[in-house]
């Protein structure tokens, strides 16, 4: 009988300080900037595995099964995996570290659920990324219109304003279509 569940795992978070561990050995990692990660976490809810928050760099990291996300192409999201000619490391905090550290487990590490389902994570991050892009595009269009006499004049045309508005509309349409995935 196993008395310590940690001993059954091939790895465990360090106990004293952050430790740089290689991706692609026990898990791969997916990083996203805080605004995208915040929305993805709200979309995932309790379906998320453990999440590392890096307050220093404003990113969150999910751990996923090895080699399950290599073909991803999601705006502002990076898949960290083992490469043929290069080793990638990620800083793993002790399981007990919470918000009182710059790097901590935002969604607590648990031995029975530290990996996030790759498909569900991809869907949440894709939607969150498009929503963030739509917000950025809307801000850019509004900021431009606030300072552009042509945009504020009824009937006057402004190529830049129209281009920014089309970009926003496309991003908003894409974000809405991702909701149905």
């Amino acid at each position: 009988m196993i008395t310590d569940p940690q001993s059954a795992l091939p790895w465990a978070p360090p106990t004293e300080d952050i430790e740089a561990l290689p991706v692609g050995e026990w898990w791969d990692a997916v990083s996203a900037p805080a605004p995208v990660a915040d929305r993805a976490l709200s979309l995932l809810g309790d379906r998320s595995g453990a999440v590392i928050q890096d307050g220093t760099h404003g990113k969150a990291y999910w751990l996923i099964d090895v080699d399950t996300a290599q073909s991803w192409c999601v705006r502002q999201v990076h898949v960290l995996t083992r490469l043929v000619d290069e080793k990638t490391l990620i800083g793993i905090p002790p399981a007990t570290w919470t918000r009182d550290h710059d790097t901590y487990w935002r969604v607590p590490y648990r031995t029975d659920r530290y990996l996030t389902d790759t498909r569900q994570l991809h869907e949440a991050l894709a939607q969150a990324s498009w929503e963030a892009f739509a917000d950025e595009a809307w801000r850019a269009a509004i900021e431009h219109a606030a300072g552009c006499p042509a945009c504020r004049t009824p009937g006057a045309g402004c190529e830049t304003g129209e281009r920014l508005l089309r970009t926003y509309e496309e991003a908003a349409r894409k974000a809405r279509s991702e909701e149905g995935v």
Side-chain angles (χ1 to χ4, degrees):
M1 179 169 103
I2 298 174
T3 55
D4 178 10
Q6 290 280 24
S7 64
L9 294 175
W11 79 281
T15 56
E16 307 254 336
D17 202 355
I18 291 178
E19 187 176 329
L21 295 176
V23 296
E25 190 165 329
W26 304 290
W27 32 255
D28 283 347
V30 176
S31 74
V36 173
D38 294 345
R39 178 64 177 136
L41 279 168
S42 72
L43 291 167
L44 284 167
D46 63 2
R47 295 175 299 149
S48 180
V51 177
I52 299 168
Q53 182 70 45
D54 179 350
T56 303
H57 297 102
K59 291 185 175 193
Y61 296 86
W62 282 264
L63 304 180
I64 60 171
D65 282 322
V66 175
D67 293 333
T68 58
Q70 292 175 333
S71 63
W72 282 19
C73 184
V74 178
R75 180 184 194 82
Q76 298 182 311
V77 172
H78 301 282
V79 176
L80 306 174
T81 188
R82 182 188 334 225
L83 302 174
V84 174
D85 58 348
E86 172 178 320
K87 190 178 222 177
T88 303
L89 303 172
I90 181 173
I92 304 292
T96 57
W97 281 19
T98 57
R99 291 185 183 271
D100 54 339
H101 293 83
D102 285 339
T103 300
Y104 63 94
W105 292 95
R106 180 172 174 174
V107 175
Y109 167 85
R110 291 185 0 207
T111 57
D112 63 334
R113 199 176 95 200
Y114 62 90
L115 297 176
T116 300
D117 179 84
T118 306
R119 184 188 55 76
Q120 293 177 355
L121 179 60
H122 182 265
E123 290 171 1
L125 286 170
Q127 180 177 339
S129 176
W130 275 106
E131 288 176 7
F133 180 62
D135 289 347
E136 292 170 22
W138 179 247
R139 267 193 296 284
I142 293 299
E143 287 173 10
H144 171 79
C148 175
C151 287
R152 293 190 319 246
T153 305
C158 173
E159 274 186 44
T160 301
E162 290 172 11
R163 180 181 47 79
L164 289 169
L165 193 53
R166 279 192 309 275
T167 300
Y168 161 71
E169 289 169 344
E170 180 183 337
R173 197 169 27 258
K174 179 69 173 167
R176 283 191 300 274
S177 73
E178 291 291 336
E179 289 176 4
V181 173

